Amino acid sequence: MNTEPTPVQDSPFRSEPTARDLAPQYVLPLVVRLEKAAPPARTDALETAARAVLVMLSDERSLGDGEWAQAIRDWQDARIRKVVRRARGAEWRRAEALPGITVTGKSAEVRVFPPVPLDGWPKDLAKLQVSGTELDDPEPPAGPDLAEPVLWMSPEVEMSAGKAMAQAGHGAQLAWWELSDEERATWRDAGFPLAVRTADPAQWRDLTTSRLPLVRDAGFTEIAPGSCTVVADHPALR
């Protein structure tokens, strides 16, 4: 499937009502494994969530006549919502038993599931906690390799780790939409390398006017509608 870039006038992230609001609303569930004794590092969790979205979009079950393809199409016709919940122990094992894909980072595990209706979550996911997911980086992350994609987070918007994971996923998806089939295949075959970093204020001003894919959050949770949260800096889009 070659999903065309979303027209600006009908972006899934615009805060004002658009034609997307008339479509049935779906959500992409992501669950991060959060064991008390060994929580993941925040940056690794954000990067793993972004890769999980890309893995779902590129999976053969999400394409053409695949078993998840219609759900993916229905979701992409609406608001492209993503919700990150957390699980540990038996909760995580029940989540792993549901159809989906687990993506593993350096310290993080994130399971992504095919989209579900906004009010139709599987019961084993619906009962998981969604708010207040907080994570830290034991050490500041190193500077990114600019030869690979970088998802630049806003230095101006404070978000919980769960919210930031969803925003990183949005940025990765916007980059995916903008790429050609060949560029997508190259990124996928390399294992979707990417980094998530917070821009400094001066850099952020340049990024938001650079014409790179920019996420403006619709404001359903935590932050004000229209807030700029992520710029997707993929080398092929510079």
Side-chain angles (χ1 to χ4, degrees), residues 95-116:
E96 279 198 305
L98 298 173
I101 306 168
T102 297
V103 177
T104 302
K106 296 181 181 70
S107 61
E109 289 182 77
V110 175
R111 189 163 179 82
V112 60
F113 303 86
V116 298

Side-chain angles (χ1 to χ4, degrees), residues 8 30 78 84 89 116 141 174 178 205 221 226:
V8 171
L30 298 107
V84 178
V116 298
L174 288 189
E178 294 283 354
R205 287 191 293 273
T221 60

Side-chain angles (χ1 to χ4, degrees), residues 38-161:
R42 180 184 174 101
T43 295
D44 188 42
L46 268 59
E47 292 172 348
T48 304
R51 278 193 291 270
V53 171
L54 295 166
V55 168
M56 173 58 71
L57 290 171
S58 61
D59 191 276
E60 61 181 10
R61 290 165 289 186
S62 299
L63 306 175
D65 296 324
E67 61 185 290
W68 299 339
Q70 187 59 54
I72 292 287
R73 286 191 289 269
D74 289 342
W75 170 60
Q76 292 191 123
D77 284 343
R79 277 287 188 171
I80 319 297
R81 299 187 191 205
K82 300 177 182 71
V83 172
V84 178
R85 302 193 177 210
R86 61 184 186 272
R88 62 171 59 98
E91 294 173 332
W92 176 256
R93 291 191 291 274
R94 285 192 292 270
E96 279 198 305
L98 298 173
I101 306 168
T102 297
V103 177
T104 302
K106 296 181 181 70
S107 61
E109 289 182 77
V110 175
R111 189 163 179 82
V112 60
F113 303 86
V116 298
L118 195 58
D119 58 355
W121 284 66
K123 65 179 182 179
D124 284 331
L125 299 184
K127 65 179 66 173
L128 298 177
Q129 293 288 331
V130 61
S131 62
T133 299
E134 294 299 342
L135 299 169
D136 295 310
D137 283 315
E139 298 179 359
D145 180 353
L146 298 182
E148 296 184 346
V150 183
L151 303 175
W152 293 104
M153 307 293 291
S154 170
E156 302 170 352
V157 181
E158 292 188 9
M159 295 178 281
S160 68

